[in-house]
Amino acid sequence: MKILDCDILVVGGGGAALRAAIAAKEYNKDLRVLIATKGKLGKSGVTATACSDRMAFHATLDHTEPGGPGSWRYHADDIYRIGGKVSDYKLAEGPGQKRKRRL
């Protein structure tokens, strides 16, 4: 066993975990951020092995499939459904809706 010290431990190597690690360093570049993952970054986890094409972030863009102003709903539905319906659906809707407001 190897013991490592860090200020923030991020568990997982998917998109959300990597974004959390980046945000931590953006917040304070002196933080010691450690990512613990059982697989290779970008090659394992839900982000890399999503069961649905729509699970990718492009589902929230008007110019990619499925397209249109309601495309973010497909992404939110996949997050909720593929995640086993254990999350708060309103939280799954959030990322797509926020992106739409920024356009």
Side-chain angles (χ1 to χ4, degrees):
M1 180 179 358
K2 187 174 183 179
I3 297 174
L4 302 172
D5 285 330
C6 63
D7 297 309
I8 296 177
L9 173 63
V10 178
V11 178
L18 297 177
R19 184 62 196 116
I22 291 168
K25 290 298 276 188
E26 287 174 343
Y27 176 75
N28 181 344
K29 67 179 175 67
D30 296 323
L31 287 174
R32 294 170 299 160
V33 179
L34 181 66
I35 299 172
T37 181
K38 63 185 175 203
K40 293 182 179 181
L41 292 179
K43 302 285 185 186
S44 65
V46 173
T47 305
T49 60
C51 300
S52 168
D53 292 342
R54 294 187 314 241
M55 193 84 163
F57 295 107
H58 69 79
T60 63
L61 302 174
D62 290 337
H63 62 279
T64 61
E65 292 296 327
S71 62
W72 62 269
R73 287 186 175 92
Y74 292 98
H75 182 62
D77 182 62
D78 278 352
I79 290 171
Y80 182 71
R81 187 176 40 77
I82 293 172
K85 298 182 180 179
V86 297
S87 62
D88 181 334
Y89 189 80
K90 292 288 184 192
L91 292 176
E93 289 180 324
Q97 288 177 324
K98 287 179 184 173
R99 195 219 52 89
K100 295 297 291 181
R101 285 195 292 267
R102 287 193 299 262
L103 288 179

Coordinates of all heavy atoms in Angstrom, one line a residue:
M1 N 0.8 -1.2 0.0 CA 0.0 0.0 0.0 C 0.9 1.2 0.0 O 1.9 1.3 0.7 CB -0.9 0.0 1.2 CG -1.8 1.2 1.2 SD -3.0 1.5 2.6 CE -2.9 0.1 3.6
K2 N 0.5 2.2 -0.8 CA 1.2 3.5 -0.8 C 0.3 4.6 -0.3 O -0.9 4.7 -0.6 CB 1.6 3.8 -2.3 CG 2.4 5.0 -2.5 CD 2.9 5.1 -3.9 CE 3.8 6.3 -4.1 NZ 4.3 6.4 -5.4
I3 N 0.8 5.4 0.6 CA 0.1 6.5 1.2 C 0.5 7.8 0.6 O 1.7 8.1 0.6 CB 0.3 6.5 2.8 CG1 -0.3 5.2 3.4 CG2 -0.4 7.7 3.4 CD1 0.0 5.1 4.9
L4 N -0.4 8.5 0.1 CA -0.2 9.8 -0.5 C -0.9 10.9 0.2 O -2.1 10.7 0.6 CB -0.6 9.8 -2.0 CG 0.0 8.7 -2.9 CD1 -0.6 8.7 -4.2 CD2 1.5 9.0 -3.0
D5 N -0.3 12.1 0.3 CA -1.0 13.2 0.9 C -1.5 14.1 -0.1 O -0.9 14.3 -1.2 CB 0.0 14.0 1.8 CG 0.3 13.3 3.1 OD1 -0.6 12.6 3.6 OD2 1.4 13.5 3.6
C6 N -2.7 14.7 0.1 CA -3.3 15.7 -0.8 C -4.2 16.6 0.0 O -4.6 16.3 1.1 CB -4.0 15.0 -2.0 SG -5.4 14.0 -1.5
D7 N -4.6 17.7 -0.7 CA -5.6 18.6 -0.1 C -7.0 18.2 -0.6 O -7.9 18.3 0.2 CB -5.3 20.1 -0.6 CG -4.0 20.6 0.0 OD1 -3.8 20.5 1.2 OD2 -3.2 21.1 -0.8
I8 N -7.1 17.7 -1.8 CA -8.3 17.3 -2.4 C -8.1 16.0 -3.1 O -7.2 15.9 -3.9 CB -8.9 18.3 -3.4 CG1 -9.2 19.6 -2.6 CG2 -10.1 17.8 -4.1 CD1 -9.7 20.8 -3.5
L9 N -9.0 15.0 -2.7 CA -8.9 13.7 -3.4 C -10.2 13.6 -4.3 O -11.3 13.7 -3.8 CB -8.9 12.6 -2.4 CG -9.1 11.2 -3.0 CD1 -7.9 10.8 -3.9 CD2 -9.2 10.2 -1.8
V10 N -10.0 13.4 -5.6 CA -11.1 13.2 -6.5 C -11.1 11.8 -6.9 O -10.1 11.2 -7.3 CB -10.9 14.1 -7.8 CG1 -12.0 13.8 -8.8 CG2 -10.7 15.6 -7.5
V11 N -12.3 11.1 -6.6 CA -12.4 9.7 -6.9 C -13.1 9.5 -8.2 O -14.2 10.0 -8.4 CB -13.2 9.0 -5.7 CG1 -13.4 7.5 -6.0 CG2 -12.5 9.2 -4.4
G12 N -12.5 8.8 -9.1 CA -13.0 8.6 -10.4 C -12.2 9.4 -11.5 O -11.6 10.4 -11.2
G13 N -12.3 8.9 -12.7 CA -11.6 9.5 -13.8 C -12.5 9.9 -14.9 O -12.0 10.2 -16.0
G14 N -13.8 10.1 -14.7 CA -14.7 10.5 -15.7 C -14.7 12.0 -15.9 O -13.9 12.7 -15.3
G15 N -15.5 12.5 -16.8 CA -15.6 13.9 -17.1 C -15.9 14.8 -15.9 O -15.2 15.8 -15.7
A16 N -16.8 14.4 -15.1 CA -17.1 15.2 -13.9 C -16.0 15.2 -12.9 O -15.6 16.3 -12.3 CB -18.4 14.6 -13.2
A17 N -15.3 14.1 -12.7 CA -14.2 14.0 -11.8 C -13.0 14.9 -12.3 O -12.4 15.7 -11.6 CB -13.7 12.6 -11.6
L18 N -12.7 14.8 -13.6 CA -11.6 15.6 -14.2 C -12.0 17.1 -14.1 O -11.1 17.9 -13.8 CB -11.3 15.2 -15.6 CG -10.8 13.7 -15.7 CD1 -10.7 13.4 -17.2 CD2 -9.6 13.5 -15.0
R19 N -13.2 17.4 -14.3 CA -13.6 18.8 -14.2 C -13.5 19.4 -12.8 O -13.1 20.5 -12.6 CB -15.1 19.0 -14.8 CG -15.5 20.5 -14.8 CD -14.6 21.3 -15.8 NE -14.8 22.7 -15.5 CZ -13.8 23.5 -15.1 NH1 -12.6 23.1 -14.9 NH2 -14.1 24.8 -14.9
A20 N -13.8 18.5 -11.8 CA -13.7 18.9 -10.4 C -12.2 19.1 -10.1 O -11.9 20.1 -9.4 CB -14.2 17.8 -9.5
A21 N -11.3 18.3 -10.6 CA -9.9 18.5 -10.4 C -9.4 19.8 -11.0 O -8.6 20.5 -10.4 CB -9.1 17.3 -10.9
I22 N -9.8 20.1 -12.2 CA -9.4 21.3 -12.9 C -9.9 22.5 -12.1 O -9.2 23.5 -11.9 CB -10.0 21.3 -14.3 CG1 -9.2 20.3 -15.1 CG2 -9.8 22.7 -14.9 CD1 -9.8 20.0 -16.5
A23 N -11.2 22.4 -11.6 CA -11.8 23.6 -10.9 C -11.0 23.8 -9.6 O -10.8 25.0 -9.2 CB -13.3 23.3 -10.6
A24 N -10.6 22.7 -8.9 CA -9.9 22.9 -7.7 C -8.6 23.6 -7.9 O -8.2 24.6 -7.2 CB -9.6 21.5 -7.1
K25 N -7.9 23.3 -9.0 CA -6.6 23.9 -9.3 C -6.8 25.4 -9.8 O -6.0 26.2 -9.5 CB -5.8 23.2 -10.4 CG -5.3 21.8 -9.9 CD -4.3 22.0 -8.7 CE -2.9 22.3 -9.2 NZ -1.9 22.3 -8.2
E26 N -7.9 25.6 -10.5 CA -8.2 27.0 -10.9 C -8.5 27.8 -9.7 O -8.2 29.0 -9.7 CB -9.4 27.0 -11.9 CG -9.1 26.5 -13.2 CD -10.3 26.3 -14.1 OE1 -11.5 26.3 -13.7 OE2 -10.1 26.2 -15.4
Y27 N -9.2 27.2 -8.7 CA -9.5 28.0 -7.5 C -8.3 28.3 -6.7 O -8.1 29.5 -6.2 CB -10.5 27.1 -6.6 CG -10.8 27.7 -5.3 CD1 -11.7 28.8 -5.2 CD2 -10.2 27.2 -4.1 CE1 -12.0 29.4 -4.0 CE2 -10.5 27.8 -2.9 CZ -11.4 28.9 -2.8 OH -11.7 29.4 -1.6
N28 N -7.3 27.4 -6.6 CA -6.1 27.6 -5.9 C -5.0 26.7 -6.5 O -5.0 25.5 -6.2 CB -6.3 27.3 -4.4 CG -5.1 27.6 -3.5 OD1 -4.0 27.7 -4.0 ND2 -5.3 27.6 -2.2
K29 N -4.1 27.3 -7.2 CA -3.1 26.5 -7.9 C -2.1 25.8 -6.9 O -1.4 24.9 -7.3 CB -2.3 27.4 -8.9 CG -1.4 28.5 -8.2 CD -0.7 29.3 -9.2 CE 0.1 30.5 -8.6 NZ 1.2 30.1 -7.8
D30 N -2.1 26.2 -5.7 CA -1.2 25.6 -4.7 C -1.8 24.3 -4.1 O -1.1 23.6 -3.3 CB -0.8 26.6 -3.6 CG 0.0 27.7 -4.2 OD1 0.8 27.5 -5.1 OD2 -0.2 28.9 -3.7
L31 N -3.1 24.1 -4.3 CA -3.7 22.9 -3.8 C -3.1 21.6 -4.4 O -2.8 21.6 -5.5 CB -5.2 22.8 -4.1 CG -6.1 23.8 -3.3 CD1 -7.5 23.7 -3.8 CD2 -6.1 23.5 -1.8
R32 N -2.9 20.6 -3.5 CA -2.4 19.3 -4.0 C -3.6 18.5 -4.3 O -4.3 18.0 -3.4 CB -1.5 18.7 -3.0 CG -0.2 19.4 -2.7 CD 0.5 18.9 -1.6 NE -0.3 19.1 -0.4 CZ -0.2 18.5 0.8 NH1 0.8 17.6 0.9 NH2 -1.0 18.7 1.8
V33 N -3.9 18.3 -5.6 CA -5.1 17.6 -6.0 C -4.7 16.2 -6.5 O -3.8 16.1 -7.4 CB -5.9 18.4 -7.2 CG1 -7.1 17.6 -7.6 CG2 -6.3 19.7 -6.7
L34 N -5.3 15.2 -6.0 CA -5.0 13.8 -6.4 C -6.3 13.2 -7.0 O -7.4 13.3 -6.5 CB -4.5 13.0 -5.2 CG -4.1 11.6 -5.4 CD1 -2.9 11.5 -6.3 CD2 -3.9 10.9 -4.1
I35 N -6.1 12.5 -8.2 CA -7.2 11.8 -8.8 C -6.9 10.3 -8.6 O -5.9 9.8 -9.0 CB -7.3 12.1 -10.3 CG1 -7.6 13.6 -10.5 CG2 -8.4 11.3 -11.0 CD1 -7.5 14.0 -11.9
A36 N -7.9 9.6 -8.0 CA -7.8 8.1 -7.8 C -8.8 7.5 -8.7 O -10.0 7.7 -8.6 CB -8.1 7.8 -6.4
T37 N -8.4 6.6 -9.6 CA -9.2 6.0 -10.6 C -8.8 4.5 -10.8 O -7.6 4.3 -10.7 CB -9.3 6.7 -11.9 OG1 -10.2 6.0 -12.8 CG2 -8.0 6.8 -12.6
K38 N -9.7 3.6 -11.0 CA -9.3 2.2 -11.2 C -8.9 1.9 -12.6 O -8.3 0.8 -12.8 CB -10.5 1.3 -10.8 CG -11.7 1.5 -11.7 CD -12.8 0.6 -11.2 CE -14.1 1.0 -12.0 NZ -15.3 0.6 -11.3
G39 N -9.1 2.8 -13.5 CA -8.7 2.6 -14.9 C -7.9 3.7 -15.4 O -7.5 4.6 -14.7
K40 N -7.6 3.7 -16.7 CA -6.8 4.7 -17.4 C -7.7 5.9 -17.7 O -8.9 5.8 -18.1 CB -6.3 4.2 -18.7 CG -5.2 3.1 -18.5 CD -4.6 2.7 -19.8 CE -3.6 1.7 -19.6 NZ -3.0 1.3 -20.9
L41 N -7.2 7.1 -17.4 CA -8.0 8.3 -17.7 C -8.4 8.4 -19.2 O -7.6 8.1 -20.1 CB -7.1 9.6 -17.4 CG -6.8 9.8 -15.9 CD1 -6.0 11.0 -15.7 CD2 -8.1 9.9 -15.1
G42 N -9.6 8.7 -19.4 CA -10.2 8.8 -20.8 C -10.5 7.4 -21.4 O -11.0 7.4 -22.5
K43 N -10.2 6.3 -20.7 CA -10.4 5.0 -21.3 C -11.4 4.2 -20.5 O -11.7 3.1 -20.8 CB -9.1 4.2 -21.4 CG -8.0 4.9 -22.3 CD -8.4 4.8 -23.7 CE -7.2 5.4 -24.5 NZ -7.5 5.5 -25.9
S44 N -11.7 4.6 -19.3 CA -12.6 3.9 -18.4 C -13.6 4.8 -17.8 O -13.5 6.1 -17.9 CB -11.8 3.2 -17.3 OG -11.2 4.1 -16.5
G45 N -14.6 4.3 -17.1 CA -15.6 5.1 -16.4 C -16.8 5.4 -17.3 O -16.8 5.1 -18.5
V46 N -17.8 6.0 -16.7 CA -19.1 6.2 -17.4 C -18.9 7.2 -18.6 O -19.5 7.0 -19.7 CB -20.1 6.8 -16.5 CG1 -21.4 7.2 -17.2 CG2 -20.5 5.7 -15.4
T47 N -18.1 8.2 -18.5 CA -17.9 9.2 -19.6 C -17.4 8.5 -20.8 O -17.8 8.7 -21.9 CB -17.0 10.3 -19.2 OG1 -17.5 10.9 -18.0 CG2 -16.9 11.4 -20.2
A48 N -16.4 7.6 -20.6 CA -15.7 7.0 -21.8 C -16.5 5.8 -22.3 O -16.4 5.5 -23.5 CB -14.3 6.5 -21.4
T49 N -17.3 5.2 -21.5 CA -18.0 4.0 -21.9 C -19.5 4.2 -21.9 O -20.3 3.2 -21.6 CB -17.6 2.8 -21.1 OG1 -17.9 3.1 -19.7 CG2 -16.1 2.5 -21.2
A50 N -20.0 5.4 -22.1 CA -21.4 5.7 -22.0 C -22.3 4.7 -22.9 O -21.9 4.3 -23.9 CB -21.7 7.1 -22.4
C51 N -23.4 4.3 -22.3 CA -24.3 3.4 -23.1 C -25.1 4.1 -24.1 O -25.8 3.4 -24.8 CB -25.2 2.7 -22.1 SG -24.4 1.8 -20.8
S52 N -25.0 5.4 -24.3 CA -25.8 6.1 -25.2 C -25.0 7.2 -25.9 O -24.2 7.9 -25.2 CB -27.0 6.7 -24.5 OG -27.6 7.7 -25.3
D53 N -25.2 7.3 -27.2 CA -24.5 8.4 -27.9 C -24.9 9.8 -27.3 O -24.2 10.7 -27.3 CB -24.8 8.4 -29.4 CG -24.2 7.2 -30.1 OD1 -23.3 6.6 -29.5 OD2 -24.7 6.8 -31.2
R54 N -26.2 9.9 -26.9 CA -26.7 11.1 -26.4 C -26.1 11.5 -25.1 O -26.2 12.6 -24.7 CB -28.2 11.1 -26.3 CG -28.9 11.0 -27.6 CD -30.4 11.1 -27.4 NE -30.9 10.3 -26.3 CZ -31.8 9.3 -26.4 NH1 -32.3 9.0 -27.6 NH2 -32.2 8.7 -25.3
M55 N -25.5 10.6 -24.4 CA -24.9 10.9 -23.1 C -23.7 11.9 -23.3 O -23.3 12.5 -22.4 CB -24.4 9.6 -22.5 CG -24.0 9.7 -21.1 SD -25.5 9.5 -20.1 CE -24.7 9.2 -18.5
A56 N -23.2 12.0 -24.5 CA -22.1 13.0 -24.8 C -22.7 14.4 -24.7 O -23.9 14.6 -24.9 CB -21.5 12.7 -26.1
F57 N -21.8 15.3 -24.4 CA -22.3 16.7 -24.2 C -22.8 17.3 -25.5 O -23.5 18.3 -25.4 CB -21.2 17.5 -23.6 CG -20.8 17.1 -22.2 CD1 -19.6 16.4 -22.0 CD2 -21.6 17.3 -21.2 CE1 -19.2 16.0 -20.8 CE2 -21.3 16.9 -19.9 CZ -20.1 16.2 -19.7
H58 N -22.5 16.8 -26.6 CA -23.0 17.3 -27.9 C -24.5 17.3 -28.0 O -25.1 18.0 -28.8 CB -22.4 16.7 -29.1 CG -22.9 15.2 -29.3 ND1 -24.1 14.9 -29.9 CD2 -22.3 14.1 -29.0 CE1 -24.2 13.6 -29.9 NE2 -23.1 13.1 -29.4
A59 N -25.2 16.5 -27.1 CA -26.6 16.5 -27.1 C -27.3 17.8 -26.8 O -28.4 18.1 -27.1 CB -27.2 15.4 -26.2
T60 N -26.5 18.7 -26.1 CA -27.1 20.0 -25.8 C -26.8 21.1 -26.8 O -27.2 22.2 -26.6 CB -26.5 20.5 -24.4 OG1 -25.1 20.7 -24.6 CG2 -26.7 19.5 -23.3
L61 N -26.2 20.7 -27.9 CA -26.0 21.7 -29.0 C -27.0 21.6 -30.1 O -27.4 20.5 -30.5 CB -24.6 21.4 -29.6 CG -23.4 21.5 -28.6 CD1 -22.1 21.0 -29.4 CD2 -23.3 22.8 -28.0
D62 N -27.5 22.8 -30.5 CA -28.5 22.8 -31.5 C -28.1 22.2 -32.9 O -28.9 21.7 -33.6 CB -29.0 24.2 -31.7 CG -29.8 24.8 -30.6 OD1 -30.4 23.9 -29.8 OD2 -29.9 26.0 -30.4
H63 N -26.8 22.3 -33.2 CA -26.4 21.9 -34.5 C -25.9 20.5 -34.6 O -25.4 20.0 -35.7 CB -25.2 22.9 -35.0 CG -24.0 22.8 -34.2 ND1 -24.0 23.5 -33.0 CD2 -22.8 22.2 -34.3 CE1 -22.8 23.3 -32.4 NE2 -22.1 22.5 -33.2
T64 N -26.1 19.7 -33.6 CA -25.7 18.2 -33.6 C -27.0 17.4 -33.3 O -27.9 17.9 -32.7 CB -24.6 17.9 -32.6 OG1 -25.0 18.2 -31.3 CG2 -23.3 18.6 -32.9
E65 N -27.0 16.2 -33.6 CA -28.1 15.3 -33.3 C -28.3 15.2 -31.8 O -27.3 15.1 -31.1 CB -27.9 13.9 -33.9 CG -27.9 13.9 -35.4 CD -29.2 14.2 -36.0 OE1 -30.3 13.9 -35.3 OE2 -29.3 14.8 -37.0
P66 N -29.5 15.2 -31.3 CA -30.7 15.2 -32.0 C -31.2 16.5 -32.5 O -32.2 16.6 -33.2 CB -31.7 14.6 -30.9 CG -31.1 15.0 -29.6 CD -29.6 15.0 -29.8
G67 N -30.5 17.6 -32.1 CA -30.8 18.9 -32.6 C -32.0 19.6 -32.0 O -32.8 18.9 -31.4
G68 N -32.1 20.9 -32.2 CA -33.3 21.6 -31.8 C -33.2 22.2 -30.4 O -32.3 21.8 -29.7
P69 N -34.1 23.1 -30.1 CA -34.0 23.8 -28.8 C -34.3 22.9 -27.6 O -33.9 23.2 -26.5 CB -35.1 24.9 -28.9 CG -36.0 24.4 -30.0 CD -35.2 23.6 -30.9
G70 N -34.9 21.7 -27.8 CA -35.1 20.8 -26.7 C -34.1 19.7 -26.5 O -34.3 18.8 -25.8
S71 N -33.0 19.8 -27.3 CA -32.0 18.7 -27.3 C -31.4 18.4 -26.0 O -31.1 17.3 -25.7 CB -30.9 19.0 -28.3 OG -30.2 20.2 -28.0
W72 N -31.3 19.4 -25.1 CA -30.8 19.2 -23.8 C -31.6 18.2 -23.0 O -31.0 17.5 -22.1 CB -30.6 20.5 -23.0 CG -32.0 21.2 -22.8 CD1 -32.6 22.1 -23.6 CD2 -32.8 20.9 -21.7 NE1 -33.8 22.4 -23.0 CE2 -34.0 21.8 -21.9 CE3 -32.8 20.1 -20.5 CZ2 -35.0 21.8 -21.0 CZ3 -33.8 20.2 -19.6 CH2 -35.0 21.0 -19.9
R73 N -32.8 18.0 -23.3 CA -33.7 17.1 -22.5 C -33.2 15.6 -22.7 O -33.4 14.8 -21.8 CB -35.1 17.2 -23.0 CG -35.8 18.5 -22.5 CD -37.3 18.6 -22.8 NE -37.9 19.7 -22.2 CZ -38.0 20.9 -22.8 NH1 -37.6 21.1 -24.0 NH2 -38.6 21.9 -22.2
Y74 N -32.7 15.3 -23.9 CA -32.2 14.0 -24.2 C -31.0 13.7 -23.2 O -30.9 12.6 -22.7 CB -31.8 13.8 -25.6 CG -32.9 13.8 -26.6 CD1 -33.3 15.0 -27.3 CD2 -33.7 12.7 -26.8 CE1 -34.3 15.0 -28.1 CE2 -34.8 12.7 -27.7 CZ -35.1 13.8 -28.3 OH -36.1 13.9 -29.2
H75 N -30.2 14.6 -23.1 CA -29.0 14.5 -22.2 C -29.4 14.3 -20.8 O -29.0 13.4 -20.1 CB -28.1 15.7 -22.4 CG -26.8 15.6 -21.6 ND1 -25.9 14.6 -21.8 CD2 -26.4 16.4 -20.6 CE1 -24.9 14.8 -20.9 NE2 -25.2 15.9 -20.2
A76 N -30.4 15.1 -20.3 CA -30.9 15.0 -19.0 C -31.5 13.7 -18.7 O -31.3 13.0 -17.7 CB -31.8 16.2 -18.7
D77 N -32.3 13.2 -19.7 CA -33.0 11.9 -19.6 C -32.0 10.8 -19.4 O -32.1 9.9 -18.6 CB -33.9 11.7 -20.7 CG -34.7 10.4 -20.6 OD1 -35.4 10.2 -19.6 OD2 -34.5 9.5 -21.5
D78 N -30.9 10.8 -20.3 CA -29.9 9.8 -20.2 C -29.2 9.8 -18.9 O -28.9 8.7 -18.3 CB -28.9 9.9 -21.3 CG -29.4 9.3 -22.6 OD1 -30.5 8.7 -22.6 OD2 -28.7 9.5 -23.6
I79 N -28.8 11.0 -18.4 CA -28.2 11.0 -17.1 C -29.0 10.3 -16.0 O -28.6 9.5 -15.2 CB -27.9 12.5 -16.7 CG1 -26.8 13.1 -17.6 CG2 -27.5 12.6 -15.2 CD1 -26.7 14.6 -17.4
Y80 N -30.3 10.7 -16.0 CA -31.2 10.1 -15.0 C -31.5 8.6 -15.2 O -31.3 7.8 -14.3 CB -32.5 10.9 -15.1 CG -33.6 10.5 -14.0 CD1 -33.4 10.7 -12.7 CD2 -34.7 9.8 -14.4 CE1 -34.3 10.3 -11.8 CE2 -35.6 9.4 -13.5 CZ -35.4 9.7 -12.2 OH -36.3 9.3 -11.2
R81 N -31.8 8.2 -16.4 CA -32.2 6.9 -16.7 C -31.0 5.9 -16.6 O -31.1 4.9 -16.0 CB -32.9 6.8 -18.1 CG -33.5 5.4 -18.5 CD -34.2 5.5 -19.8 NE -33.5 6.3 -20.8 CZ -32.4 5.8 -21.5 NH1 -31.9 4.6 -21.3 NH2 -31.8 6.6 -22.4
I82 N -29.9 6.2 -17.3 CA -28.8 5.3 -17.3 C -28.1 5.3 -15.9 O -27.5 4.3 -15.6 CB -27.8 5.7 -18.4 CG1 -28.4 5.5 -19.8 CG2 -26.5 5.0 -18.3 CD1 -27.6 6.0 -20.9
G83 N -28.3 6.3 -15.2 CA -27.8 6.4 -13.8 C -28.6 5.6 -12.8 O -28.4 5.6 -11.6
G84 N -29.6 4.9 -13.3 CA -30.5 4.0 -12.4 C -31.6 4.8 -11.8 O -32.2 4.3 -10.8
K85 N -31.9 6.0 -12.2 CA -33.0 6.8 -11.7 C -32.9 7.0 -10.2 O -33.8 7.1 -9.5 CB -34.4 6.1 -12.0 CG -34.6 6.0 -13.5 CD -36.0 5.4 -13.7 CE -36.2 5.2 -15.2 NZ -37.5 4.6 -15.5
V86 N -31.6 7.1 -9.7 CA -31.4 7.4 -8.3 C -31.1 8.8 -8.0 O -31.0 9.2 -6.9 CB -30.3 6.5 -7.8 CG1 -30.6 5.0 -7.9 CG2 -28.9 6.7 -8.5
S87 N -30.9 9.6 -9.1 CA -30.5 11.0 -8.9 C -31.8 11.9 -8.9 O -32.9 11.4 -9.2 CB -29.6 11.5 -9.9 OG -30.2 11.4 -11.2
D88 N -31.6 13.1 -8.6 CA -32.7 14.1 -8.6 C -32.8 14.6 -10.1 O -31.8 15.1 -10.6 CB -32.4 15.3 -7.7 CG -33.4 16.4 -7.7 OD1 -34.2 16.5 -8.7 OD2 -33.5 17.1 -6.7
Y89 N -33.9 14.3 -10.7 CA -34.1 14.6 -12.2 C -33.8 16.1 -12.4 O -33.2 16.5 -13.4 CB -35.4 14.2 -12.7 CG -35.5 14.4 -14.2 CD1 -35.0 13.4 -15.0 CD2 -36.1 15.5 -14.8 CE1 -35.0 13.5 -16.4 CE2 -36.1 15.6 -16.2 CZ -35.6 14.6 -17.0 OH -35.6 14.7 -18.3
K90 N -34.2 17.0 -11.5 CA -34.0 18.4 -11.7 C -32.5 18.8 -11.8 O -32.1 19.7 -12.5 CB -34.7 19.2 -10.6 CG -36.2 19.2 -10.6 CD -36.7 20.0 -11.7 CE -38.2 20.0 -11.6 NZ -38.8 20.6 -12.8
L91 N -31.7 18.0 -11.0 CA -30.3 18.2 -11.1 C -29.7 17.8 -12.4 O -28.8 18.4 -13.0 CB -29.5 17.5 -10.0 CG -29.8 18.1 -8.6 CD1 -29.1 17.2 -7.5 CD2 -29.3 19.5 -8.5
A92 N -30.3 16.7 -13.0 CA -29.8 16.2 -14.3 C -30.2 17.2 -15.4 O -29.5 17.3 -16.4 CB -30.5 14.9 -14.6
E93 N -31.3 17.9 -15.2 CA -31.7 18.9 -16.2 C -30.8 20.2 -16.2 O -30.6 20.8 -17.2 CB -33.1 19.4 -15.9 CG -34.2 18.4 -16.2 CD -35.6 18.9 -15.9 OE1 -35.7 19.7 -15.0 OE2 -36.5 18.6 -16.7
G94 N -30.2 20.5 -15.1 CA -29.5 21.7 -14.9 C -28.4 22.0 -15.9 O -28.4 23.1 -16.5
P95 N -27.5 21.1 -16.2 CA -26.4 21.5 -17.1 C -26.8 21.9 -18.5 O -26.3 22.9 -19.0 CB -25.5 20.2 -17.1 CG -25.8 19.5 -15.9 CD -27.3 19.8 -15.6
G96 N -27.8 21.2 -19.0 CA -28.2 21.5 -20.4 C -29.0 22.8 -20.4 O -28.8 23.6 -21.3
Q97 N -29.8 23.1 -19.4 CA -30.6 24.3 -19.4 C -29.6 25.5 -19.2 O -29.8 26.5 -19.8 CB -31.6 24.3 -18.2 CG -32.7 23.3 -18.5 CD -33.7 23.3 -17.3 OE1 -33.3 23.3 -16.2 NE2 -35.0 23.2 -17.6
K98 N -28.6 25.4 -18.4 CA -27.7 26.5 -18.2 C -27.0 26.8 -19.4 O -26.7 27.9 -19.8 CB -26.7 26.1 -17.0 CG -27.4 26.2 -15.7 CD -26.4 25.8 -14.6 CE -27.1 25.8 -13.3 NZ -26.2 25.3 -12.2
R99 N -26.5 25.8 -20.2 CA -25.8 26.0 -21.4 C -26.7 26.7 -22.4 O -26.3 27.6 -23.1 CB -25.4 24.6 -22.0 CG -24.3 24.9 -23.1 CD -24.5 24.0 -24.3 NE -25.7 23.9 -24.9 CZ -26.2 24.7 -25.9 NH1 -25.4 25.7 -26.4 NH2 -27.4 24.5 -26.5
K100 N -28.0 26.4 -22.5 CA -28.9 27.0 -23.4 C -29.1 28.5 -23.1 O -29.2 29.3 -24.0 CB -30.3 26.3 -23.3 CG -30.3 24.9 -23.8 CD -30.0 24.8 -25.2 CE -31.1 25.4 -26.1 NZ -30.8 25.3 -27.5
R101 N -29.1 28.8 -21.8 CA -29.2 30.3 -21.4 C -28.0 31.1 -21.8 O -28.1 32.3 -22.0 CB -29.5 30.4 -19.9 CG -30.9 30.0 -19.5 CD -31.2 30.4 -18.1 NE -30.4 29.7 -17.1 CZ -30.8 28.7 -16.5 NH1 -32.0 28.1 -16.7 NH2 -30.1 28.1 -15.5
R102 N -26.8 30.4 -21.9 CA -25.6 31.2 -22.2 C -25.5 31.5 -23.7 O -24.7 32.3 -24.1 CB -24.4 30.4 -21.8 CG -24.2 30.4 -20.3 CD -22.8 29.9 -19.9 NE -22.6 28.5 -20.3 CZ -22.7 27.5 -19.6 NH1 -23.1 27.6 -18.3 NH2 -22.5 26.3 -20.1
L103 N -26.2 30.7 -24.6 CA -26.1 31.0 -26.0 C -26.7 32.3 -26.4 O -27.5 32.8 -25.9 CB -26.8 29.8 -26.8 CG -26.0 28.5 -26.7 CD1 -26.8 27.4 -27.5 CD2 -24.6 28.6 -27.3

